[in-house]
């Protein structure tokens, strides 16, 4: 058992005090030795029975695991690239040009002598490919042209001398804003022209139909009017003169215009028609019986209706 330093010092102090006390009390040396021995034994017994101070339990630390440092991600260096922007390329229309932009990438092929600027070689080769493609594309198909160009230029291809294999990414093909506005204006004019031509053709067809079919003759004009106004026969009879004039005008024929007073003067009344019929009957009867009519009756004028051209009628008077 381990004796603590403090306990030994305390025991030594007690023994010293007892020794001083024995000297003061004038005890005999034998008794003083006995007292000191007893005290020392008692102190040793007390100190021996004292429990040891608890020692701090040190936690057993597990052996440190080796720290595994992950390997850094490999850094892939991509192929060299160069950006081109707003390069004018021809289109199928000589009046318009495309604006071309892309990122040109390339890889070296030859290991021997090389060009001083392989990037310029790659850009020139790619622009030449783009030029051959856009020269056959229509400006009205801008979005379709861009997708097709991106698909074709994305495939690596060698230049003429076989120094680099170049391709393109982030391809963009568009029309400049002034050209786009001009194209929209031309499209609007073209639509207006098509509308005008169509309206003119419809008008020409209608005119040909009226001239060559409807008003080719007064009879066809009357039939056309009756088809559009079924059942109005009496009205059609009243329009015969008008339809005849329209037919003559449509075929560039002279039109004989008659005033209403003249038409009314030449138109026989029902009484005149009845009188003319009665006179005809009497004449036929006299001719059958062999009798001679009087001079007055022979010289009486009798109106007759004589057909005239263009559906008009005129009256002639002659003596029976």
């Amino acid at each position: 058992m381990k004796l603590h330093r403090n306990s030994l010092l305390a025991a030594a102090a007690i023994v010293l005090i007892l020794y001083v006390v024995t000297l003061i009390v004038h005890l005999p040396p034998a008794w003083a030795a006995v007292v000191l021995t007893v005290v020392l034994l008692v102190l040793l017994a007390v100190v021996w029975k004292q429990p040891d101070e608890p020692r701090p339990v040190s936690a057993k630390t597990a052996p440190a695991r080796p720290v595994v440092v992950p390997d850094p991600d490999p850094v892939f260096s991509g192929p060299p690239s160069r950006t081109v922007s707003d390069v004018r390329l021809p289109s199928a229309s000589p009046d318009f040009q495309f604006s071309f932009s892309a990122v040109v990438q390339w890889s070296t092929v030859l290991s021997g002598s090389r060009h001083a600027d392989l990037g310029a070689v790659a850009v020139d080769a790619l622009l030449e490919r783009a030029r051959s493609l856009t020269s056959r594309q229509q400006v009205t198909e801008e979005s379709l042209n861009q997708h097709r160009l991106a698909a074709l230029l994305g495939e690596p291809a060698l230049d003429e001398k076989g120094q680099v294999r170049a391709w393109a990414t982030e391809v963009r093909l568009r029309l400049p804003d002034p050209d786009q506005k001009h194209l929209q204006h031309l499209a609007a004019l073209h639509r207006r022209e098509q509308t005008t031509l169509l309206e003119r053709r419809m008008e020409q067809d209608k005119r040909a139909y009226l001239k060559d079919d409807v008003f080719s003759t007064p009879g066809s004009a009357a039939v056309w009017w009756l088809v559009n106004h079924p059942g109005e026969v009496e009205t059609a009879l009243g329009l015969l003169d008008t339809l005849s004039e329209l037919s003559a005008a449509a075929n560039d024929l002279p039109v004989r215009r008659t005033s209403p007073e003249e038409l009314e003067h030449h138109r026989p009344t029902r009484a005149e028609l009845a009188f003319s019929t009665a006179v005809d009957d009497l004449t036929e009867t006299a001719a059958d019986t062999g009798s001679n009519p009087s001079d007055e009756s022979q010289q009486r004028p009798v109106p007759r209706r004589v057909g005239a051209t263009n559906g008009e009628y005129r009256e002639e008077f002659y003596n029976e």
Side-chain angles (χ1 to χ4, degrees):
M1 181 180 178
K2 184 178 179 181
L3 298 177
H4 295 285
R5 183 180 179 182
N6 294 333
S7 300
L8 294 175
L9 291 176
I14 292 173
V15 171
L16 182 61
I17 293 171
L18 288 176
Y19 178 75
V20 173
V21 171
T22 57
L23 291 178
I24 296 173
V25 178
H26 300 286
L27 290 176
W31 287 99
V34 172
V35 171
L36 291 175
T37 302
V38 173
V39 171
L40 287 174
L41 293 175
V42 172
L43 288 175
L44 289 174
V46 172
V47 172
W48 187 267
K49 292 182 179 179
Q50 287 181 354
D52 295 336
E53 293 180 0
R55 297 178 180 178
V57 180
S58 60
K60 295 182 179 180
T61 59
R65 295 180 181 179
V67 180
V68 179
V69 180
D71 296 334
D73 294 336
V75 178
F76 297 99
S77 59
S81 62
R82 184 170 296 183
T83 302
V84 294
S85 59
D86 295 333
V87 179
R88 291 299 183 94
L89 296 178
S91 67
S93 176
D95 298 331
F96 297 94
Q97 289 183 335
F98 292 112
S99 178
F100 174 77
S101 301
V103 176
V104 182
Q105 299 179 346
W106 70 90
S107 60
T108 307
V109 177
L110 294 180
S111 58
S113 60
R114 298 182 180 179
H115 193 275
D117 189 356
L118 292 179
V121 176
V123 170
D124 180 69
L126 190 102
L127 289 178
E128 187 63 28
R129 291 172 58 192
R131 177 187 178 89
S132 63
L133 293 173
T134 59
S135 61
R136 300 190 300 268
Q137 293 178 342
Q138 299 294 333
V139 292
T140 55
E141 302 174 352
E142 180 179 351
S143 179
L144 182 62
N145 294 336
Q146 177 174 341
H147 290 297
R148 179 173 178 80
L149 198 65
L152 295 176
L153 296 181
E155 182 179 357
L158 290 172
D159 66 313
E160 293 181 355
K161 296 183 179 181
Q163 300 181 89
V164 294
R165 182 178 285 106
W167 64 94
T169 60
E170 301 181 15
V171 176
R172 185 181 181 187
L173 188 70
R174 64 181 184 87
L175 278 177
D177 292 339
D179 292 344
Q180 185 70 31
K181 293 180 180 179
H182 182 55
L183 185 63
Q184 293 176 355
H185 181 64
L186 290 180
L189 291 177
H190 181 68
R191 288 193 296 268
R192 189 182 306 172
E193 180 185 8
Q194 292 296 326
T195 303
T196 303
L197 291 177
L198 183 59
E199 292 177 349
R200 183 183 303 172
R201 186 180 304 171
M202 293 176 61
E203 181 184 352
Q204 290 175 350
D205 293 343
K206 186 180 294 185
R207 290 167 55 188
Y209 166 69
L210 292 174
K211 177 182 178 181
D212 301 335
D213 191 358
V214 174
F215 295 110
S216 59
T217 62
S220 63
V223 172
W224 170 80
W225 195 92
L226 285 173
V227 169
N228 289 276
H229 304 81
E232 300 184 11
V233 180
E234 295 182 357
T235 307
L237 291 174
L239 294 174
L240 285 177
D241 295 340
T242 303
L243 295 174
S244 298
E245 293 179 2
L246 289 174
S247 176
N251 292 277
D252 296 329
L253 297 176
V255 179
R256 182 176 180 273
R257 301 183 179 276
T258 308
S259 62
E261 292 79 4
E262 186 178 356
L263 290 175
E264 186 67 24
H265 175 73
H266 290 292
R267 184 176 301 165
T269 62
R270 292 184 178 180
E272 292 176 343
L273 292 175
F275 179 76
S276 177
T277 303
V279 170
D280 291 339
D281 294 340
L282 291 175
T283 304
E284 293 176 359
T285 303
D288 293 337
T289 55
S291 60
N292 293 325
S294 61
D295 296 337
E296 184 179 359
S297 62
Q298 292 179 356
Q299 295 179 358
R300 183 179 181 85
V302 178
R304 293 287 187 180
R305 296 186 66 187
V306 181
T309 60
N310 297 330
E312 297 179 355
Y313 294 91
R314 58 187 178 85
E315 294 180 357
E316 293 184 354
F317 294 88
Y318 62 94
N319 295 328
E320 293 287 350

